[in-house]
Amino acid sequence: MADRKGHDAPPVELAQGIYEGLAGVRLAMRRFLAFSEATLADAQVTSQQYQAMLVIKTSAQGRIMVRELAEQMLLQHHGAVQLVDRLSAAGLVERIPSVEDKRSVLVALTSVGERVLETLAGIHLRGMLKHEPLLAESLSQLRRLGNLDP
């Protein structure tokens, strides 16, 4: 089997518990993501829009240049512009001209965006903590069996 660089990786025999731990991690993540997608659909916000709002909220002064948003979201610049257009049309963000660079535009959450994000973040926090036991146990099992103790 070839690795990501195209080299043949020698087969590694892993303990059954490693597979069980990996399966547990993936199950916890899939359950959380299914919960998240349903929550966001109810709020009429896409996963990408929610992630963008989190990035904006955690940026310096709660404002971010579109270029930086694109980098953090792993998007091309034009994709980030389209994302900001959709968020703006929904009333969740606003564009603010940069005082330092007249060619740049900053993006910030509106008061509506702040409220929507706060609600969604609270729901997501509770949902994530609900799945913590399976995730923590699976990760702990992987650490033990993978001899990765610090």
Side-chain angles (χ1 to χ4, degrees), residues 5-111:
K5 294 181 181 177
H7 302 106
D8 286 331
V12 178
E13 198 167 315
L14 300 174
Q16 179 66 21
I18 298 262
Y19 295 107
E20 292 166 0
L22 291 169
V25 168
R26 290 191 57 85
L27 177 60
M29 290 188 323
R30 289 181 60 80
R31 284 179 178 169
F32 172 75
L33 289 174
F35 160 82
S36 176
E37 291 299 327
T39 298
L40 294 172
D42 287 346
Q44 298 180 327
V45 172
T46 68
S47 181
Q48 190 178 51
Q49 289 171 333
Y50 176 61
Q51 182 65 37
M53 292 192 308
L54 287 169
V55 169
I56 294 165
K57 179 71 174 180
T58 59
S59 63
Q61 291 89 39
R63 297 176 177 169
I64 192 167
M65 286 192 282
V66 174
R67 173 181 48 81
E68 293 170 332
L69 179 65
E71 289 171 10
Q72 295 235 358
M73 297 285 299
L74 305 176
L75 297 171
Q76 296 294 321
H77 184 268
H78 68 276
V81 169
Q82 292 172 346
L83 175 58
V84 170
D85 287 345
R86 291 189 299 274
L87 286 165
S88 180
L92 301 172
V93 302
E94 61 183 341
R95 288 179 166 91
I96 303 166
S98 172
V99 292
E100 289 93 29
D101 180 357
K102 299 297 181 193
R103 298 170 297 162
S104 295
V105 174
L106 298 169
V107 181
L109 294 173
T110 61
S111 58

